[in-house]
């Protein structure tokens, strides 16, 4: 496969994993429109985002098969852009000011750590 295509695919795969997982969490939680956004839900959502980001970063690095951290950095940059848009658009609706920035940090750190784990698993012992 052409390296550019593989690189783009790596970022897309990572982003899709993260987006679908987070969307499922919110769809399940808000399936009942009367369910409020609680502090416990926000804490769980940030932790869940971190775990999903680990998986997304690992998957992106696996698809890329080279320059794992570079591809993870591109995925992290995409997350920063998309979350920044969400922060600017929805921050007035959030019950806690810390939620979106914490979610952003969890996503970026999780992606980079996931790619690092993949990178380390490839090294010969």
């Amino acid at each position: 496969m052409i390296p550019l295509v593989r690189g783009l695919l790596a970022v897309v795969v990572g982003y899709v994993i993260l987006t679908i997982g987070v969307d499922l969490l919110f769809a399940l939680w808000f399936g009942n429109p009367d369910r409020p956004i609680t502090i416990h839900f926000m804490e769980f959502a940030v932790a869940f985002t971190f775990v999903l980001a680990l998986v997304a970063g690992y998957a992106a690095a696996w698809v890329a098969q080279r320059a794992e951290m570079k591809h993870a950095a591109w995925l992290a940059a995409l997350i920063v852009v998309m979350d920044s848009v969400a922060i600017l658009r929805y921050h007035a609706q959030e019950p806690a000011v810390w939620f979106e920035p914490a979610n952003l940090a969890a996503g970026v750190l999780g992606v980079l750590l996931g790619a690092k784990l993949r990178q380390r698993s490839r090294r010969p012992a």
Side-chain angles (χ1 to χ4, degrees):
M1 186 178 295
I2 300 170
L4 177 62
V5 173
R6 183 179 295 279
L8 288 172
L9 184 62
V11 174
V12 169
V13 164
Y15 192 74
V16 166
I17 288 170
L18 188 58
T19 303
I20 288 175
V22 170
D23 286 350
L24 282 174
L25 172 66
F26 278 82
L28 289 172
W29 183 263
F30 295 113
N32 176 357
D34 296 330
R35 185 176 275 168
I37 299 174
T38 65
I39 194 78
H40 298 295
F41 169 75
M42 289 187 286
E43 291 167 346
F44 178 78
V46 170
F48 189 73
T49 297
F50 180 75
V51 171
L52 278 173
L54 275 172
V55 173
Y58 190 95
W62 180 78
V63 170
Q65 293 187 355
R66 63 177 184 76
E68 291 93 344
M69 294 310 293
K70 180 175 115 179
H71 291 91
W74 279 108
L75 176 55
L78 179 60
I79 291 168
V80 167
V81 169
M82 298 307 285
D83 277 9
S84 295
V85 169
I87 288 169
L88 293 173
R89 186 169 180 204
Y90 298 113
H91 82 87
Q93 299 173 4
E94 296 295 338
V97 175
W98 61 267
F99 177 67
E100 284 296 341
N103 223 23
L104 172 60
V108 169
L109 293 173
V111 161
L112 295 175
L113 183 58
K116 191 65 169 174
L117 291 171
R118 168 63 184 163
Q119 189 179 44
R120 286 184 156 200
S121 72
R122 286 191 53 208
R123 290 190 183 142

